[in-house]
Amino acid sequence: MRSQQRFSDVARSYLCCYYEILKNMIDDMDGAQLTDSLSHNFIVQMIPHHRAAIEMSYNILQYTTCIPLQDIAIGIIEEQTMSIQNMLSILDRCAELRNSQQDLCRYHKSYQQITQTMFTHMQDACSTNNINADFIREMIPHHKGAISMSQNALQFDICPELVPILRAIIKSQQKGVCEMERLLRCI
């Protein structure tokens, strides 16, 4: 919590949990065991990313009385739980597709730029006593990161079973960003 503002007990509790979720996500994404398969690498780094969104959603659901935000959080939990299950079901098969060192370097260079931007925006999201707005300002860069990571992976030779999952991530997260931006203007 980087603000000089005085936080309510509810906001302090919410934000402490958020920063712990964020730290764990960064550690798990950075600590994923990578191979020479972009498909494998995408999956093992996206799973902790999705898990963080699920945890962030459960965190806001403990505190918010805003029904549209509850709907968004429940949608995130449902969509990203299903996406994790889909990725886990193809992980072993997708890991068999190997990529060149040149493609691995290009992919990971873009991935690093995307995630560093996302991590910075999530860490620097405005923290206030309005946790509804805080959640949205934290989740939008998270969703935008997933969109960019998925678009990055689609530029390379990846497992055909992963392609519809990436397209679903892009579609659902773009829709989520629009919903959250619209709600943020109303809050």
Side-chain angles (χ1 to χ4, degrees):
M1 290 181 274
R2 297 166 180 18
S3 175
Q4 298 298 332
Q5 175 178 350
R6 182 167 177 233
F7 291 104
S8 69
D9 290 344
V10 168
R12 188 178 308 109
S13 180
Y14 167 80
L15 290 167
C16 284
C17 187
Y18 165 70
Y19 285 113
E20 183 66 24
I21 293 166
L22 177 58
K23 178 193 175 308
N24 291 338
M25 180 189 77
I26 293 169
D27 291 346
D28 292 346
M29 290 177 72
D30 286 346
Q33 294 295 325
L34 304 181
T35 68
D36 58 357
S37 167
L38 294 180
S39 302
H40 170 272
N41 295 350
F42 177 88
I43 291 170
V44 299
Q45 291 178 308
M46 184 55 75
I47 287 173
H49 184 271
H50 276 6
R51 285 185 180 141
I54 293 166
E55 291 173 19
M56 289 167 63
S57 296
Y58 279 122
N59 186 34
I60 193 64
L61 286 171
Q62 295 179 71
Y63 302 104
T64 188
T65 59
C66 176
I67 292 173
L69 191 57
Q70 290 174 359
D71 292 341
I72 288 170
I74 290 166
I76 289 169
I77 292 166
E78 291 171 354
E79 286 177 3
Q80 301 210 9
T81 298
M82 178 65 73
S83 185
I84 289 171
Q85 291 169 351
N86 291 339
M87 286 188 284
L88 286 172
S89 73
I90 64 170
L91 178 59
D92 290 339
R93 289 186 305 279
C94 285
E96 295 172 6
L97 180 64
R98 308 288 185 213
N99 298 88
S100 69
Q101 286 303 311
Q102 182 180 5
D103 280 353
L104 287 164
C105 284
R106 287 179 40 235
Y107 170 82
H108 286 293
K109 182 177 180 184
S110 291
Y111 170 85
Q112 289 294 334
Q113 291 170 340
I114 292 164
T115 56
Q116 286 311 306
T117 298
M118 176 184 63
F119 296 158
T120 299
H121 289 168
M122 290 180 73
Q123 288 168 330
D124 294 344
C126 183
S127 298
T128 67
N129 280 304
N130 184 343
I131 60 172
N132 295 329
D134 292 348
F135 174 82
I136 293 171
R137 286 189 294 261
E138 297 153 0
M139 190 59 77
I140 287 174
H142 186 274
H143 273 27
K144 287 182 177 180
I147 294 164
S148 295
M149 286 185 281
S150 298
Q151 291 170 333
N152 180 42
L154 285 169
Q155 297 178 46
F156 297 91
D157 185 23
I158 58 171
C159 175
E161 291 177 273
L162 184 56
V163 172
I165 294 172
L166 297 180
R167 290 193 177 131
I169 289 170
I170 292 167
K171 183 178 178 182
S172 72
Q173 309 270 316
Q174 286 174 333
K175 180 182 175 223
V177 168
C178 289
E179 289 174 350
M180 288 185 284
E181 287 175 340
R182 195 168 32 253
L183 183 56
L184 186 59
R185 286 192 296 271
C186 297
I187 295 180

